[in-house]
Each structure stands twice: as C-alpha cells, then as structure tokens.
Amino acid sequence: MINGEGPFRQAHVDPLAGLRTADDPPWDVYLTGTVFLDIIFTGLDSAPVRGTESWARGMGSSPGGVANMATALARLGLRTSLAAAFGDDHYGEYCWDALEQGENIDLTPSRTVPGWHSPVTVSMAYEGERTMVSHGHEAPLEEPAPDRPPHARAAVASLTPGVRAPWIEQAASRGTRIFADVGWDDTGRWDLAGLADLAHCEAFLPNAEEAMRYTGADCPRAAAHTLAEHVPLAVVTLGSDGAYAVDGRSGESAEVPAIAVEALDPTGAGDVFVAGFVTGTLADWPLADRLAFAGLTAALSVQEFGGSLSAPGWSEIAAWWRRVHSVADQDPAALSRYAFLEGLLPEVTRPWPLRRAVPTIGFGRSA
C-alpha cells in the first residue's frame, strides 16, 4: 500500500452552479468504454530485469481504463454517468463499488456480465516512467453503451480510425457536446477522413505527434489550425511545453505553458487534462483559462501514482494554490494566470502536498 495519511474527503465544488437550470439534462458528462482493474507497483529503483525478482516498496489498486476519465470528471464536480461492462468476479465488484460508492459516478447504464473476467493491467512506475502488462478476454458481444445514450451536457469519446460509434451521433443529435481524443493509428494511414465521428464533435484533443501525423503539418501549432478547419475547437497537447488551442469559429487561439513538476507516474494524465478542459468549457471560461486549468490538473496528477487514484479534486487544487502563494519571490505574472480560480476554491486546512491513501482489494465479501 502506498503511504498515505488516511481517507481524505473532498470538498464539494460545483463549477457549473451558476449555470444550472430546471431544464438541464440529468448528467453533465456521459462516457463509455472498458474498465480495467489497475494494480500499481511503486518504489521501484529501475525497470525489472529479465531473470531476476524485483521488489516494490509500494502497491495500490484502482479502477482504470475509462474509469480514469470518469473519476477525473467526478472529482471536479461534474455529474458523471458511465456505461461499461463489469465482470462478475471480485475485480469487477471492487471496481463497481469504488466508482459508484467511492466517486459517486452513475452506473445505471452499466451492467455486470456473468462469466466474464475483468480486464487487468499491472503498472510498474519508476524514474517518472511506467511499464504496463495487461490481460483480458474478448469483450462481451453486447455493446455496453445503451441504444439511446442518457441525455448529458457533454460526452467524452475516444475515436477509432475507420470505425463509427453510433452512440456519438445519437448523443450529438440531442445537443450533447462531444469532446474526443484519439489513440495511435496502428494502421499507419493517419487519414483524418477515417475519423468519421469527428464530424459530430465540438472539440478534438490529440497530442502533438498525433496532430502532426493526421494533418501532415511540420509543427503542432500549424496542425491545430488545420484541425480547426474540421472541428470547432482543436486542442493540441505539447507535453512539457504545455498546450495550444484554436477556436475555428472565432479564430481565437491560446497557448499556456506547462507547470514544471517532478513527475512520479504519468498514468492517466491525458484523461485528467481532458477532464479539466471539459470542466472549463462547460463552465464557459475563456479559452486560455480552460487550457491553464487542464494543464494544472494534469500536472497535479503526475505527482501521484496510478490513474484514477491520482486525479485531483478541488481540495488538491486549493492546497496547491495556497502553497504557491507561500513561495518566496513567486512570479506575479505566473500567479495571475490562475487568478480565475480564486472564487471557486474551497478552504483547506491540510498542507500541500495532499496524499491520498490507496485502497487495496478485499476478498472477504461473499459473492
């Protein structure tokens, strides 16, 4: 178990409080995908060496896969609904309870599949990097997403080259704002036209390499402008250089540098970035503020181990904000970049950094 200071209850902040009306959809964000059980080994001095046994100084477990994104959204105060298949084993039971009871995520559209083994990923973190080994059986034949997705303000989708996901068009037709990312194109074609569901998206958030390959541009900023011709809002993450965004409707662009941190584990940082950007967009913040918030939440996440475990809530954000104000000779311009947070942050009494105790799986419950 990773050392922690015991359970820490998050302060509740509703970033959409001033925008809510009686006619709102029941959910702020809907998403669907595969939930993994993540087992994270930490405290490794180096990568495991073939033919030897390595001992880790810490271990934790948490729901992973699409659960990383769902948890990040829920901890930022968004009402989150998830459609996923769960195995009827101890792993599936643990993940269901952790998401529904621990994170208050709606699992009404999800289901337990008899006889299906939960997918598992073992992650080994060392020197700011990670090595992962995964195992899983074929997913159930039935699509975990319902025929008609629940009505939500927004949805987060992962686009697959050459494959349409019918629920994306269905959700968009009801006014749901679609935010999409994309994985590596194993076909090597990098054909933007092959991302058919991009036509239904409000925002597309690839990393720099993906953006340049899909557009043929020689720099990520040029790639963002090209993508903005195909989707209303293009956001390209630049790694240690921050992020760059272009609003194709207004022509506005924004760039925010990354926050320099000591990275312990990058698992889930991309999901946290997207969750932060979705939060700021639904809250109607200026484009640069959305980028800054997304980058901040991602930076906080890499200072913890694990995927969903590391997603920051408002208590972590508030503790960070108080901490940076206490640093001598702090750059006023750097502080002003995050001044928009002032009216949102809760009072915190614990010092930075906040360490969240990591749950382990209990096998004492009867089936």
Side-chain angles (χ1 to χ4, degrees), residues 29-64:
V29 187
Y30 166 78
L31 61 164
T32 184
T34 302
V35 173
F36 286 73
L37 169 71
D38 282 356
I39 300 174
I40 307 106
F41 288 103
T42 67
L44 290 165
D45 295 321
S46 62
V49 177
R50 182 177 181 179
T52 67
E53 181 180 15
S54 299
W55 279 82
R57 291 188 293 273
M59 189 195 86
S61 54
S62 66

Side-chain angles (χ1 to χ4, degrees), residues 43 94 167-168 171 175-176 220 292 297 318:
Y94 163 77
W167 74 265
I168 295 177
T176 297
T297 54

Side-chain angles (χ1 to χ4, degrees), residues 246-280:
V246 178
D247 188 325
R249 296 160 296 195
S250 66
E252 178 188 7
S253 63
E255 182 168 2
V256 173
I259 298 175
V261 296
E262 180 182 352
L264 295 180
D265 183 1
T267 305
D271 294 324
V272 172
F273 181 94
V274 173
F277 190 82
V278 170
T279 300

Side-chain angles (χ1 to χ4, degrees), residues 10-348:
Q10 284 287 340
H12 177 71
V13 173
D14 183 358
L16 309 185
L19 302 175
R20 297 196 185 279
T21 70
D23 297 327
D24 285 345
W27 306 111
D28 295 326
V29 187
Y30 166 78
L31 61 164
T32 184
T34 302
V35 173
F36 286 73
L37 169 71
D38 282 356
I39 300 174
I40 307 106
F41 288 103
T42 67
L44 290 165
D45 295 321
S46 62
V49 177
R50 182 177 181 179
T52 67
E53 181 180 15
S54 299
W55 279 82
R57 291 188 293 273
M59 189 195 86
S61 54
S62 66
V66 71
N68 294 339
M69 179 73 72
T71 299
L73 291 162
R75 288 186 181 173
L76 292 177
L78 298 185
R79 301 169 183 173
T80 303
S81 183
L82 170 64
F86 290 79
D88 65 347
D89 49 21
H90 286 296
Y91 297 165
E93 180 183 76
Y94 163 77
C95 289
W96 186 292
D97 288 348
L99 294 173
E100 184 179 57
Q101 299 177 23
E103 305 295 346
N104 200 30
I105 294 168
D106 170 59
L107 298 181
T108 303
S110 296
R111 72 188 192 283
T112 297
V113 181
W116 185 56
H117 188 289
S118 298
V120 177
T121 292
V122 174
S123 176
M124 292 160 280
Y126 51 89
E127 299 175 352
E129 297 294 336
R130 58 178 174 169
T131 297
M132 298 188 294
V133 178
S134 296
H135 168 73
H137 299 289
E138 284 292 326
L141 294 178
E142 301 87 353
E143 169 60 45
D147 293 336
R148 188 174 177 84
H151 193 198
R153 294 174 185 264
V156 180
S158 184
L159 304 184
T160 302
V163 177
R164 285 185 180 272
W167 74 265
I168 295 177
E169 182 177 4
Q170 293 168 9
S173 69
R174 302 181 67 192
T176 297
R177 304 162 73 177
I178 310 296
F179 296 75
D181 59 15
V182 68
W184 191 258
D185 186 356
D186 291 327
T187 70
R189 289 192 287 270
W190 298 100
D191 178 15
L192 196 60
L195 301 178
D197 286 323
L198 192 62
H200 307 299
C201 296
E202 173 169 333
F204 184 44
L205 299 96
N207 63 34
E209 184 67 20
E210 293 160 350
M212 290 188 292
R213 286 179 179 266
Y214 271 115
T215 61
D218 58 3
C219 81
R221 293 163 185 80
H225 284 274
T226 299
L227 290 173
E229 298 172 5
H230 299 270
V231 66
L233 188 58
V235 181
V236 177
T237 55
L238 309 174
S240 60
D241 291 330
Y244 185 79
V246 178
D247 188 325
R249 296 160 296 195
S250 66
E252 178 188 7
S253 63
E255 182 168 2
V256 173
I259 298 175
V261 296
E262 180 182 352
L264 295 180
D265 183 1
T267 305
D271 294 324
V272 172
F273 181 94
V274 173
F277 190 82
V278 170
T279 300
T281 301
L282 295 184
D284 284 341
W285 296 347
L287 183 58
D289 289 354
R290 289 180 254 166
L291 278 188
F293 185 71
L296 168 61
T297 54
L300 295 181
S301 78
V302 302
Q303 296 178 83
E304 297 284 350
F305 290 106
S308 62
L309 286 172
S310 67
W314 288 100
S315 296
E316 283 91 347
I317 297 168
W320 169 83
W321 183 237
R322 188 176 68 174
R323 169 61 178 160
V324 296
H325 272 280
S326 70
V327 176
D329 302 321
Q330 185 65 259
D331 181 3
L335 287 177
S336 67
R337 173 61 271 163
Y338 299 92
F340 66 93
L341 294 172
E342 280 285 6
L344 283 168
L345 297 179
E347 292 292 329
V348 293

